[in-house]
Amino acid sequence: MSSIDSIHNSISAEMSRLNGIIRSHLLSESAMMNAIVERYLLAKGKQLRPMLTILSSRLLGQVGENVLRAGAAVEMLHNATLIHDDVIDQSDTRRGHPTINSVWDNHIAVLVGDFFLSKALVCAASTHDLRIMNVLSGLGAELSVGEIEQADNAQRHNITEAAYMNIISYKTAALFTACVEVGALAAGADTDSLGPIKKFAHLLGQAFQIKDDIFDYYDNPAVGKPTGNDLLEGKVTLPLIHALKQQSPLRDRMAALLQQPELARDDINLLVDFAKQNGGIDYSYEVMSRMRDEAFLCLESYGDSAAAADLKDVFTYIINREK
């Protein structure tokens, strides 16, 4: 049994209750909405975000009803963004299942995403904790800014590592940080004690996105997207950014390709191979390893505990995962 499966088993009772909260909040008077929601929930993944909410509450307090409501709210908000992303990306599958937009249409998918978002806020409000509401309200804005910044950088061909790190801080790391923050607050933790766990989660989120971007350089049916899909959408990620900084006779040619408004499949294949051959993948793993080491140091502030060990295992799993 993998460490992530072991963690799932250790919090299975809490996760079952949390998923029950999600289902109860998503129940509506619309038969069509209920059918879409039920089908969508069958395709849930590892549920890392609510897992982090529970683990952070264990690290800094106890898992009570408000922790589960906060975790459920974060998971619904996360799923709202995925539903909307599938519309934007015109994705046909997610987690091996047809997307809402492919089964119904974009109009229905956007409305379902809005429904998830509104129910996430209703669930957060049920904690009667204004701090949790503030975290999740601010999170929605950060995620939107991250996506806008990514689109803007693609249009301006702003290809730097600093710009990339800024984008993934908004579009991915912000959500991971919110997960641990609401979990700790709901468990009764003092606000002054949250700095290290929030830093841990920020690094975890950045590493998660870097690993997600590495998948795009390989054919992997389990991931559900073809090689070079990010480049097809104008997104230049860390492996290629690093490769373009290396001395190579092909560097200028590759940089020129990225200035084109659209890339042909052959051009994408050239860029993918260039990134691999010039250390882009190895460098990305080095960055994730440094992030992991820094994140583990953050947890030392809270001493040794089962929750701290589980959080470390989550980080290791994220770097080593295959999908």
Side-chain angles (χ1 to χ4, degrees), residues 17-262:
R17 288 163 57 198
L18 186 148
N19 281 313
I21 292 170
I22 291 175
R23 287 185 178 277
S24 66
H25 273 80
L26 293 176
L27 189 64
S28 74
E29 296 180 358
S30 167
M32 181 178 183
M33 181 68 80
N34 290 338
I36 295 171
V37 167
E38 188 62 31
R39 179 170 181 162
Y40 183 83
L41 292 179
L42 290 174
K44 63 177 179 287
K46 292 287 188 182
Q47 294 191 297
L48 285 172
R49 287 107 186 140
M51 178 190 297
L52 289 171
T53 300
I54 291 172
L55 291 178
S56 67
S57 69
R58 282 187 170 185
L59 184 73
L60 292 165
Q62 299 293 323
V63 182
E65 188 67 19
N66 268 2
V67 170
L68 301 180
R69 293 185 183 196
V74 169
E75 181 71 349
M76 283 188 281
L77 190 153
H78 169 58
N79 279 280
T81 66
L82 296 183
I83 294 167
H84 286 157
D85 284 349
D86 288 339
V87 173
I88 294 168
D89 298 338
Q90 301 179 42
S91 301
D92 292 328
T93 60
R94 179 173 290 278
R95 301 166 183 155
H97 294 262
T99 57
I100 294 174
N101 52 290
S102 67
V103 175
W104 285 273
D105 58 30
N106 287 346
H107 177 72
I108 295 297
V110 169
L111 292 174
V112 174
D114 290 346
F115 178 75
F116 269 72
L117 176 58
S118 65
K119 289 298 185 178
L121 295 177
V122 169
C123 189
S126 71
T127 66
H128 302 292
D129 191 326
L130 186 58
R131 299 170 304 169
I132 291 172
M133 283 293 297
N134 285 338
V135 170
L136 294 185
S137 298
L139 172 62
E142 287 190 87
L143 297 176
S144 298
V145 167
E147 293 295 337
I148 291 293
E149 282 292 294
Q150 181 169 265
D152 183 45
N153 281 352
Q155 290 179 356
R156 294 188 295 109
H157 304 291
N158 183 15
I159 306 169
T160 67
E161 186 169 333
Y164 171 80
M165 290 298 179
N166 184 58
I167 287 169
I168 68 174
S169 291
Y170 276 113
K171 65 174 283 187
T172 307
L175 178 56
F176 282 72
T177 304
C179 290
V180 301
E181 185 172 7
V182 298
L185 290 173
D190 190 296
T191 305
D192 293 337
S193 67
L194 301 186
I197 188 62
K198 288 172 65 178
K199 178 64 174 177
F200 170 90
H202 181 86
L203 292 163
L204 181 67
Q206 287 183 311
F208 182 94
Q209 187 61 56
I210 292 170
K211 184 58 185 279
D212 222 38
D213 292 339
I214 288 173
F215 286 137
D216 200 51
Y217 290 81
Y218 299 92
D219 286 311
N220 187 348
V223 179
K225 63 178 181 179
T227 299
N229 195 55
D230 286 338
L231 284 168
L232 195 62
E233 297 172 3
K235 304 171 187 174
V236 182
T237 55
L238 187 59
L240 183 53
I241 290 170
H242 175 76
L244 288 168
K245 294 190 294 185
Q246 308 312 303
Q247 294 297 325
S248 166
L250 292 176
R251 183 177 63 179
D252 290 345
R253 181 186 174 192
M254 296 299 106
L257 284 178
L258 292 173
Q259 300 301 313
Q260 297 178 175
E262 290 187 16

